[in-house]
């Protein structure tokens, strides 16, 4: 548009000069010189117009090239973002599986530590009883009394090495070649952490069948619930957790069992019952890991930690 205005202006100037020369008499030489100057101006304008047109053409080409490069970069960036998002999703999925496995492994180690603590406590009690008996014998000897016949100070023990009450009938007789309690329990933990749930269930069921009077029986029962939960058999999971709560009132698995029972009830769509169990966890086990997890789940559900009246 600007170039057309310039050309029109030049033509108007040239026409005006010609008209002026026709209106009034002027020397021919002066008119010729003005015409030459006007021609030069018009030629300069046309040259400038061509240069400007060339520059505009080059500019359009550069702009088109830049736009094309930008589109290519955007496409590459979109592809890269898609790959990155998929990688993040894969990492999250793998991390969740690894965390679940690690959680089970940590739970198993905690069980073993609790068993060791329990055995140490019983050994300490046996040592105290032995010391009291020795002191009693010393007192009788020093007073000239007659010592009573020696009796066994330790209570009968199960195959797992844990004290078993005399006359206990909680466990079935061991068949020939049956694995020991420690072997069954360790194999069950190993198989549940490696995802071999059916094999682990068989091992824990055998443990409860043959070693029901040991300290780790409640743990085996709890892990049966965990296996059912991982296999999405939530009704069986609730029943297994209930056995921990009803049959082993002194087990340190009571908190985890009640928490997991609440989670299983929620999976079954029984929200009110599940919330009730989670609130019971908060009430019974304040400050524990189960308390923290129960509070987090209640918050996710959008319900209060305590029941409103």
């Amino acid at each position: 548009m600007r170039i057309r205005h310039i050309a029109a202006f030049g033509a108007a100037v040239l026409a005006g000069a010609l008209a002026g020369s026709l209106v009034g008499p002027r020397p021919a030489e002066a008119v010729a010189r003005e015409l030459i100057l006007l021609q030069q101006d018009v030629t300069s304008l046309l040259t400038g117009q061509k240069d400007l047109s060339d520059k505009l053409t080059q500019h359009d080409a550069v702009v088109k090239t830049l736009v094309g490069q930008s589109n290519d970069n955007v496409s590459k960036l979109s592809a890269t973002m898609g790959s990155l998002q998929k990688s993040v999703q894969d990492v999250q999925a793998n991390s969740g599986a690894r965390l679940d496995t690690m959680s089970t492994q940590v739970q198993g180690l905690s069980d073993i530590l609790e068993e060791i603590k329990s055995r140490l406590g019983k050994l300490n009690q046996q040592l105290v009883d032995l010391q009291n008996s020795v002191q009693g014998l010393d007192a009788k000897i020093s007073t000239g009394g007659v010592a009573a016949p020696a009796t066994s100070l330790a209570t009968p023990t199960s195959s797992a090495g844990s004290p078993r009450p005399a006359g206990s009938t909680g466990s079935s007789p061991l068949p020939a070649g049956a694995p020991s309690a420690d072997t069954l329990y360790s194999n069950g933990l190993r198989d549940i952490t490696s995802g071999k749930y059916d094999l682990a269930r068989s091992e824990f069921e055998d443990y409860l069948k043959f070693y029901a009077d040991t300290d780790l029986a409640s743990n085996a029962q709890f892990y049966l619930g965990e296996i059912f939960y991982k296999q999405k058999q939530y009704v069986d999971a609730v029943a297994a957790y209930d056995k921990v709560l009803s049959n082993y009132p002194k087990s340190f698995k009571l908190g985890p069992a009640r928490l997991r029972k609440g989670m299983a009830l929620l999976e079954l769509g029984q929200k009110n019952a599940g919330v009730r169990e989670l609130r019971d966890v908060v009430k019974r086990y304040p400050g524990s890991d189960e308390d923290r997890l129960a509070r987090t789940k209640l918050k996710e559900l959008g319900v209060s930690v305590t029941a409103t009246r």
Side-chain angles (χ1 to χ4, degrees):
M1 181 67 71
R2 181 179 179 183
I3 295 172
R4 288 199 297 270
H5 289 169
I6 294 173
F9 175 74
V13 171
L14 179 60
L18 290 174
S21 63
L22 294 175
V23 171
R26 299 184 64 183
E29 183 178 354
V31 172
R33 187 166 52 254
E34 289 183 2
L35 287 174
I36 292 172
L37 292 174
L38 286 173
Q39 288 177 351
Q40 291 176 349
D41 291 340
V42 171
T43 301
S44 298
L45 288 172
L46 293 175
T47 302
Q49 178 186 0
K50 184 177 182 304
D51 292 341
L52 183 59
S53 178
D54 292 341
K55 289 180 179 180
L56 288 175
T57 302
Q58 293 176 357
H59 179 70
D60 289 341
V62 172
V63 170
K64 289 180 180 179
T65 301
L66 292 175
V67 170
Q69 292 176 350
S70 298
N71 289 334
D72 292 341
N73 291 334
V74 169
S75 299
K76 292 178 181 179
L77 182 59
S78 297
T80 303
M81 289 296 294
S83 300
L84 181 60
Q85 185 176 11
K86 185 178 184 302
S87 299
V88 170
Q89 291 174 347
D90 292 341
V91 169
Q92 288 177 340
N94 294 333
S95 297
R98 286 196 297 269
L99 285 175
D100 188 52
T101 300
M102 289 176 63
S103 176
T104 305
Q105 291 173 341
V106 170
Q107 192 78 50
L109 290 175
S110 176
D111 295 345
I112 293 172
L113 288 176
E114 289 294 333
E115 180 193 12
I116 292 173
K117 287 167 60 179
S118 176
R119 292 183 179 182
L120 287 176
K122 291 172 181 177
L123 286 174
N124 183 62
Q125 184 61 44
Q126 289 177 8
L127 288 174
V128 171
D129 293 342
L130 179 60
Q131 185 178 13
N132 291 335
S133 298
V134 170
Q135 289 175 352
L137 290 174
D138 288 343
K140 289 181 179 181
I141 292 172
S142 63
T143 58
V146 179
T151 58
S152 174
L153 296 176
T155 58
T157 59
S158 69
S159 300
S162 297
R164 176 187 295 178
S168 172
T169 59
S171 301
S172 300
L174 284 175
S180 67
D182 289 338
T183 300
L184 270 177
Y185 189 82
S186 299
N187 289 346
L189 280 180
R190 180 198 62 209
D191 291 330
I192 193 176
T193 55
S194 59
K196 300 176 182 177
Y197 298 132
D198 291 334
L199 182 57
R201 184 174 72 179
S202 176
E203 288 160 341
F204 285 126
E205 286 175 345
D206 285 345
Y207 188 96
L208 290 172
K209 180 179 180 181
F210 301 123
Y211 306 107
D213 299 321
T214 63
D215 293 333
L216 293 178
S218 64
N219 296 10
Q221 182 63 53
F222 173 79
Y223 282 121
L224 285 177
E226 290 291 273
I227 291 170
F228 288 128
Y229 191 96
K230 291 177 184 296
Q231 293 181 325
K232 301 185 185 303
Q233 300 176 25
Y234 300 116
V235 173
D236 292 330
V238 170
Y241 295 135
D242 271 335
K243 288 183 179 180
V244 177
L245 298 173
S246 60
N247 296 346
Y248 306 96
K250 295 183 179 180
S251 172
F252 62 90
K253 285 295 186 184
L254 295 179
R258 194 171 296 277
L259 172 70
R260 299 295 280 176
K261 177 186 175 183
M263 296 293 191
L265 289 170
L266 291 175
E267 293 291 347
L268 289 170
Q270 301 178 26
K271 182 177 179 180
N272 292 336
V275 168
R276 188 163 53 248
E277 291 294 335
L278 295 180
R279 284 172 173 167
D280 206 13
V281 170
V282 174
K283 180 180 178 180
R284 291 172 179 263
Y285 312 103
S288 65
D289 290 338
E290 290 73 28
D291 171 32
R292 177 178 55 80
L293 293 172
R295 289 176 181 272
T296 300
K297 188 62 178 179
L298 289 170
K299 184 177 181 181
E300 290 177 2
L301 296 172
V303 298
S304 61
V305 173
T306 56
T308 56
R309 296 182 180 179

